[in-house]
Amino acid sequence: MAGTLAQLSPIEQFLKENEAKECLRFTTAGSVDDGKSTLIGRLLYDSKGVYEDQLASVKKSPVNRSGREIDLSLLTDGLRAEREQGITIDVAYRYFSTPRRKFIIADTPGHEQYTRNMATGASTADLAVVLVDARSGVLPQSRRHIYIASLLGIPSVTVAVNKMDLVGFSQEVFDGIRLELIEFFARLRSDNVQFIPLSALDGDNVVTRSRRMPWYQGPSLLEHLETVPGGPSKPFEQMRFPVQYVIRPHLDFRGYAGQVASGTIRPGDHVMALPSGRTSVVKSVVTYDGDLEEAVAPLSVTVCLEDEIDVSRGDMLVHPSALPHMSRHFEAMLVWMNGQPLELNRSYLLKHTTQQVPATVTAIVHKVDINSLGHAPAGRLQLNEIARVSVETQRPLFFDPYEENRATGSFILIDPLTNLTLGAGMIRERVGDAGHQRIRQALMGIQFKTERPTPAERAARLGHHAAAVWLTARPEVAKLVERRLFDLHCMAHLLSDDVDSDVLPEVASIVVSSGLIAICSIASGMREELERARELIGYDRLVVIEPESLPVDDQQAAEAVCDILASRGLLDAGPLGFGREA
Amino acid sequence: MSVRITSHLKLLEAESIHIFREVAAEFQRPVMLYSIGKDSSVMLRLAQKAFYPGPIPFPLLHIDTSFKFGEMIRFRDWYPASIGARLIVHRNEEALAQRANPFRLGTQKCCALLKTKALLDALAAGPYDAAFGGARREEEKSRAKERVYSFRDGFGQWDPKNQRPELWNLYNSRLEKGESIRVFPLSNWTELDVWQYIHLEEIPVVPLYFAAEREVVVRGDMLISVEHNPPLLPGEKPRMVMCRMRSLGCTHCTGAIRSEADTIPKIIEELMLFRRSERENRVIDHDQEGSMEIKKREGYF
């Protein structure tokens, strides 16, 4: 029973529990006057994260814009300049904890020109809280914030619909905002989305559930923050160990110090050092607190090898059966953070994991119009703009696509003249590089692979991506789509009358996981099935066809469906399986 | 599937160790500012862990105003040496020879001479290009926006509007000659995290943190130590009070708090009950609204 705990004094019990407490990092974004500072002030205040003397100083402040006894927004408005302007101008970090979790908030400004700060706050966050003012509804900025959260790979997004007190706690207002954004989320990759109606000023649904919105059955914001899974739903399991520092106190010890970027490293593991390609076996995983049986990400440890192979800072240890990409050429999404625009073909310094290499941006593939999410013509890339670019580095990088592994898919660009950080990049894809492929093939030949084929490998084999098509009320069209895709050299499989609609989402998800294109032909109105299919297959892989948008003629309709798949980039995977546009 | 490490202290430790190693790898001459307090004790342990089984590859620097508590100085002379760390002590001898002290100059001017100037001089004398400090973002409002790598110009000054963006754990370490950075490996730690870590790791701290009968004068809400003989106000008389220090500094500028907490669990318990920020008893922070921010711009840590 709880015998051991019961014998401890309350404080010792608290310490025991606190020791094992989890940590959730989240970022907050909102437009000016969405009440973000008030919301954070409220979270800190209601969870008793505010010191009494700080509270007293806020109470004494001559400024109070809240119309309430204390202006909670003043708790977080830090620097003098912004207190005078009433706008937050830089990323501020706040801390509070509840019995369940410790929280680190990256409070980022929502002011139009501060995309770079938002990206900064989002880069380390497990969750994003996006504020929407219930009175003004979904603004271009709300979409922008959600897009950046998705671009930076934040696993969960929570939309806090604030100022519900000013719209009479109306369910219609909340539902309107929710429906509008759900459609938007469907176009992004966010898989864990929660909508919460609240009033930061009065505390409704912030810490405790509000009695003034009985129609809302979900959790309060804090309840949600305490229970939402912290990391990505599918953590990247392949081991990456960028070497930071070589520890060599005497001739008998040579250890490679670093932070495990992903996966697990154990004594006895066969490892390969990149870029040399030399292999060895892990002798021990050393820490001050004793040798470890295994080290998982993100522990900081020191790895000793059986053989004296030459390894130094900037190298990476990996398992030979699960190599990263290695290339001097790749494509990336780049957020530009400096007043000086990007110059193509100019030499910059690129910092990636523990190495720094000279690099140039050779082309802007396209800019992202952050309001429409459409592709804008590629011209210059300026402060707070985002573009997909091609990058060339002087030495090869060892990387994974950012969406799979933040730690090995991210980089910053530094100006070698001014030393300023100019941009933040997220690697999307590698571009063909014959030399690279030879190295890769040579390295791959060394070891028998033991991992199951990845979706990317399957896509590379089949030449197209796995996907599901959801088509209602047009069974004839569904058949023609299967035929048409087959003729286009795509492996498609029709699921129609032969599959009970109750289990159609599950069956479709199996078809998709095997790398094929599932065509789900189903009667209209199966909303619950559709929701489940979205959950199982993912928004990005499930293509829902609006039957009313199709031509009446069946053949033309089938063509139209194939065109939609092609336009989403699903039908062309490229030689290594990463050809699809995000 | 592998077990995911989620304990927040483990995460903080891993992050701090990563920072120590990055700096040691990328800078020519790092130094650790050693203030003798609990945060310094934690930093020291993290630095040991970062380079184990090797020695800490940079020296420690203590800026000695000569108005510190005797117990702090004894601890300083014992603990770093006991773990094999190299300690440098620097004083502004010129100002001290001219009898600079807080009683004559007032706290602001005294601090400017004995702390800020002494620190800038010592860093320039190194010359050190990176200096670790124990500041935490939760400590004080103006620190909430501080980067882990905080850039200082050739005069050691900080410009809050012109900081480099800091993403993921990719730190930009590029400097021009004469420029330097302050590095804050404990940025994401809270006071509670620090105490819990000290407790778990059994890290030695200065006994002043633990409650004992101490000779003080009671001045309003403040308990001021009589070490270094501060001038007393009319009617003030030193007396013995059960108290402890929540943060350590110079005797005159660091108030004690009434407390019975003589063990770490009791200190943590007290923290949970008294929701007061630890810098409250620092005279210096209250000189002027936003005073810490002004000092930081000038180069104070």
Side-chain angles (χ1 to χ4, degrees):
Chain A
M1 255 187 47
T4 45
L5 270 187
Q7 284 157 16
L8 298 173
S9 71
I11 184 63
E12 283 166 330
Q13 199 169 325
F14 164 81
L15 288 173
K16 269 248 115 27
E17 286 164 12
N18 193 52
E19 201 183 304
K21 201 187 269 188
E22 291 181 353
C23 177
L24 185 88
R25 291 181 188 235
F26 67 96
T27 180
T28 54
S31 305
V32 177
D33 295 332
D34 276 345
K36 187 161 56 69
S37 294
T38 308
L39 178 65
I40 294 171
R42 172 62 68 184
L43 273 175
L44 298 180
Y45 181 71
D46 282 5
S47 65
K48 307 208 166 33
V50 183
Y51 295 124
E52 282 168 31
D53 51 313
Q54 291 173 341
L55 199 59
S57 135
V58 164
K59 279 181 178 161
K60 275 193 299 196
S61 168
V63 187
N64 185 338
R65 296 175 301 249
S66 70
R68 301 292 192 276
E69 189 198 344
I70 44 171
D71 186 345
L72 292 173
S73 73
L74 294 181
L75 284 171
T76 60
D77 279 358
L79 304 185
R80 290 164 72 93
E82 71 184 29
R83 200 187 287 188
E84 281 149 22
Q85 286 170 26
I87 306 170
T88 329
I89 53 171
D90 202 349
V91 187
Y93 294 86
R94 324 272 171 206
Y95 304 82
F96 71 101
S97 58
T98 67
R100 299 181 73 149
R101 272 185 177 168
K102 166 178 171 154
F103 296 98
I104 301 179
I105 314 177
D107 180 13
T108 68
H111 206 257
E112 186 123 12
Q113 62 263 47
Y114 290 108
T115 298
R116 71 169 201 176
N117 291 328
M118 219 177 307
T120 302
S123 72
T124 50
D126 304 309
L127 179 143
V129 176
V130 175
L131 269 99
V132 173
D133 186 332
R135 292 171 306 173
S136 34
V138 179
L139 297 174
Q141 284 209 43
S142 322
R143 293 171 194 273
R144 177 202 305 256
H145 298 153
I146 292 166
Y147 173 71
I148 292 172
S150 144
L151 183 72
L152 271 292
I154 301 184
S156 313
V157 177
T158 300
V159 178
V161 181
N162 191 23
K163 307 198 181 181
M164 288 300 291
D165 51 318
L166 299 182
V167 295
F169 299 101
S170 153
Q171 183 176 3
E172 282 82 341
V173 170
F174 175 72
D175 282 347
I177 291 170
R178 194 166 60 100
L179 285 176
E180 194 177 341
L181 283 178
I182 278 183
E183 203 177 306
F184 185 68
F185 278 113
R187 294 164 60 191
L188 302 169
R189 292 173 165 269
S190 321
D191 43 333
N192 194 343
V193 182
Q194 176 81 34
F195 292 84
I196 302 175
L198 50 85
S199 163
L201 199 57
D202 295 326
D204 297 78
N205 284 338
V206 177
V207 170
T208 48
R209 295 192 197 188
S210 169
R211 294 213 187 98
R212 301 197 281 185
M213 286 172 273
W215 45 266
Y216 172 74
Q217 302 295 319
S220 71
L221 178 60
L222 187 65
E223 284 174 326
H224 181 60
L225 294 174
E226 281 188 315
T227 51
V228 69
S233 48
K234 290 185 210 115
F236 188 78
E237 295 289 343
Q238 298 183 13
M239 192 273 287
R240 306 282 183 252
F241 186 79
V243 175
Q244 250 191 308
Y245 191 86
V246 180
I247 295 177
R248 215 177 159 186
H250 47 78
L251 288 176
D252 299 331
F253 188 94
R254 187 186 178 90
Y256 306 108
Q259 191 170 16
V260 184
S262 61
T264 309
I265 186 164
R266 299 182 177 86
D269 279 4
H270 286 268
V271 290
M272 177 185 282
L274 299 174
S276 73
R278 290 174 194 277
T279 56
S280 183
V281 172
V282 175
K283 184 161 72 181
S284 52
V285 177
V286 176
T287 75
Y288 177 91
D289 303 297
D291 289 3
L292 301 182
E293 291 290 305
E294 63 167 31
V296 302
L299 285 187
S300 285
V301 296
T302 299
V303 174
C304 295
L305 302 178
E306 293 285 2
D307 308 278
E308 286 259 337
I309 60 174
D310 186 32
V311 178
S312 52
R313 176 175 167 87
D315 291 0
M316 187 185 278
L317 298 181
V318 299
H319 291 140
S321 56
L323 295 176
H325 293 269
M326 286 168 284
S327 181
R328 290 178 47 231
H329 304 266
F330 51 85
E331 288 194 359
M333 300 303 291
L334 185 63
V335 180
W336 199 252
M337 304 188 142
N338 196 268
Q340 291 292 325
L342 166 72
E343 283 177 56
L344 291 182
N345 300 315
R346 196 192 132 185
S347 183
Y348 294 117
L349 285 171
L350 184 149
K351 188 166 185 187
H352 170 259
T353 63
T354 55
Q355 67 168 335
Q356 200 160 286
V357 296
T360 56
V361 176
T362 53
I364 301 177
V365 179
H366 59 73
K367 273 205 291 204
V368 177
D369 176 337
I370 203 154
N371 295 320
S372 69
L373 290 198
H375 296 171
R380 287 171 10 134
L381 185 64
Q382 305 190 63
L383 179 63
N384 292 311
E385 291 185 331
I386 299 169
R388 188 180 180 115
V389 297
S390 301
V391 181
E392 185 179 326
T393 54
Q394 210 175 69
R395 294 193 302 273
L397 298 189
F398 327 114
F399 62 86
D400 301 290
Y402 181 82
E403 61 186 286
E404 290 178 18
N405 191 344
R406 271 182 178 187
T408 56
S410 53
F411 64 86
I412 55 172
L413 278 187
I414 300 166
D415 187 332
L417 298 179
T418 63
N419 296 333
L420 295 173
T421 302
L422 301 176
M426 288 139 283
I427 300 175
R428 273 298 158 88
E429 176 198 6
R430 55 166 303 288
V431 192
D433 173 342
H436 154 74
Q437 283 184 22
R438 273 203 307 279
I439 301 167
R440 189 171 166 80
Q441 275 160 9
L443 294 176
M444 297 256 256
I446 292 168
Q447 283 260 327
F448 177 71
K449 282 196 126 184
T450 53
E451 268 77 28
R452 293 193 58 198
T454 64
E457 284 177 296
R458 289 178 201 272
R461 169 68 48 85
L462 293 167
H464 64 80
H465 288 275
V469 179
W470 194 266
L471 179 60
T472 50
R474 298 285 294 268
E476 282 307 312
V477 175
K479 274 185 210 161
L480 291 169
V481 169
E482 185 188 38
R483 180 76 237 174
R484 179 85 188 124
L485 286 173
F486 186 80
D487 291 345
L488 288 167
H489 304 282
C490 295
M491 293 304 291
H493 187 77
L494 175 63
L495 303 170
S496 56
D497 300 340
D498 50 341
V499 180
D500 188 351
S501 62
D502 278 357
V503 295
L504 182 64
E506 286 73 16
V507 175
S509 119
I510 292 169
V511 173
V512 169
S513 67
S514 68
L516 310 187
I517 299 175
I519 300 158
C520 308
S521 174
I522 188 168
S524 43
M526 302 291 201
R527 292 197 62 84
E528 201 187 303
E529 278 76 8
L530 177 58
E531 275 313 307
R532 218 162 66 239
R534 278 201 171 118
E535 212 166 278
L536 289 167
I537 298 167
Y539 280 97
D540 54 322
R541 302 241 168 234
L542 182 71
V543 179
V544 182
I545 307 292
E546 305 291 342
E548 53 276 19
S549 71
L550 294 178
V552 184
D553 177 76
D554 286 348
Q555 288 227 3
Q556 285 176 12
E559 286 289 342
V561 171
C562 293
D563 285 348
I564 292 171
L565 292 175
S567 71
R568 297 235 188 146
L570 291 165
L571 302 188
D572 183 6
L576 275 165
F578 289 103
R580 196 165 74 90
E581 292 260 328
Chain B
M1 247 220 39
S2 58
V3 186
R4 287 185 68 81
I5 293 279
T6 43
S7 146
H8 68 294
L9 285 174
K10 269 282 170 220
L11 290 177
L12 288 172
E13 182 188 78
E15 178 182 87
S16 302
I17 290 174
H18 172 85
I19 295 165
F20 273 113
R21 290 169 171 173
E22 275 304 282
V23 172
E26 294 207 316
F27 289 86
Q28 304 285 325
R29 293 179 62 85
V31 66
M32 184 200 286
L33 296 189
Y34 182 68
S35 75
I36 319 174
K38 62 185 190 304
D39 304 303
S40 283
S41 283
V42 167
M43 272 214 293
L44 208 43
R45 172 60 54 92
L46 291 165
Q48 278 181 283
K49 290 194 176 196
F51 304 103
Y52 176 86
I56 298 174
F58 40 77
L60 277 49
L61 172 65
H62 179 233
I63 301 302
D64 189 356
T65 59
S66 84
F67 292 98
K68 302 290 177 192
F69 291 91
E71 278 178 88
M72 288 171 71
I73 300 303
R74 282 193 291 282
F75 186 87
R76 176 196 77 184
D77 293 340
W78 161 68
Y79 182 51
S82 77
I83 60 163
R86 189 159 74 85
L87 177 76
I88 298 165
V89 176
H90 181 87
R91 292 182 184 216
N92 184 348
E93 297 292 358
E94 195 188 324
L96 286 172
Q98 292 167 17
R99 293 186 40 251
N101 69 51
F103 322 119
R104 269 184 54 218
L105 298 175
T107 58
Q108 284 207 37
K109 210 162 177 194
C110 178
C111 233
L113 281 173
L114 298 185
K115 275 174 103 165
T116 308
K117 176 147 194 329
L119 171 65
L120 294 178
D121 288 349
L123 292 178
Y128 300 109
D129 53 357
F132 294 101
R136 291 175 279 109
R137 287 172 177 150
E138 97 93 43
E139 246 177 296
E140 210 267 341
K141 248 200 230 177
S142 77
R143 288 193 166 153
K145 306 192 174 193
E146 187 65 274
R147 302 292 196 267
V148 172
Y149 277 27
S150 179
F151 181 78
R152 304 299 158 107
D153 63 20
F155 306 98
Q157 295 189 346
W158 180 73
D159 179 0
K161 282 204 177 155
N162 201 16
Q163 296 195 84
R164 296 174 180 176
E166 205 161 75
L167 293 98
W168 301 289
N169 60 359
L170 297 174
Y171 302 108
N172 177 349
S173 57
R174 300 269 304 177
L175 294 177
E176 290 299 319
K177 208 169 158 52
E179 295 172 342
S180 63
I181 57 157
R182 309 285 164 88
V183 185
F184 302 112
L186 304 184
S187 285
N188 285 323
W189 294 60
T190 63
E191 189 181 13
L192 179 60
D193 296 331
V194 166
W195 278 117
Q196 178 121 36
Y197 195 71
I198 289 170
H199 182 54
L200 264 177
E201 297 274 327
E202 299 175 347
I203 299 172
V205 292
V206 182
L208 286 165
Y209 284 115
F210 300 105
E213 293 271 343
R214 293 189 171 89
E215 197 176 18
V216 295
V217 291
V218 181
R219 190 172 291 168
D221 292 341
M222 303 276 237
L223 304 178
I224 309 278
S225 162
V226 293
E227 206 177 319
H228 299 298
N229 304 313
L232 301 183
L233 301 178
E236 275 184 346
K237 239 172 75 181
R239 56 185 169 113
M240 298 301 283
V241 176
M242 190 69 168
C243 61
R244 67 178 201 89
M245 299 291 157
R246 205 171 150 190
S247 68
L248 298 183
C250 297
T251 53
H252 177 68
C253 292
T254 318
I257 54 168
R258 287 175 201 273
S259 169
E260 306 275 322
D262 55 3
T263 64
I264 291 172
K266 285 183 191 167
I267 289 175
I268 294 174
E269 191 169 17
E270 189 184 87
L271 270 184
M272 306 302 292
L273 295 174
F274 295 92
R275 299 297 307 161
R276 288 174 164 274
S277 66
E278 62 200 292
R279 299 197 71 88
E280 184 193 30
N281 300 302
R282 293 286 186 104
V283 175
I284 185 168
D285 293 356
H286 298 280
D287 290 347
Q288 186 183 340
E289 174 77 332
S291 65
M292 187 61 129
E293 191 194 331
I294 293 168
K295 287 208 167 53
K296 267 175 65 181
R297 285 179 198 241
E298 290 164 355
Y300 177 75
F301 222 75

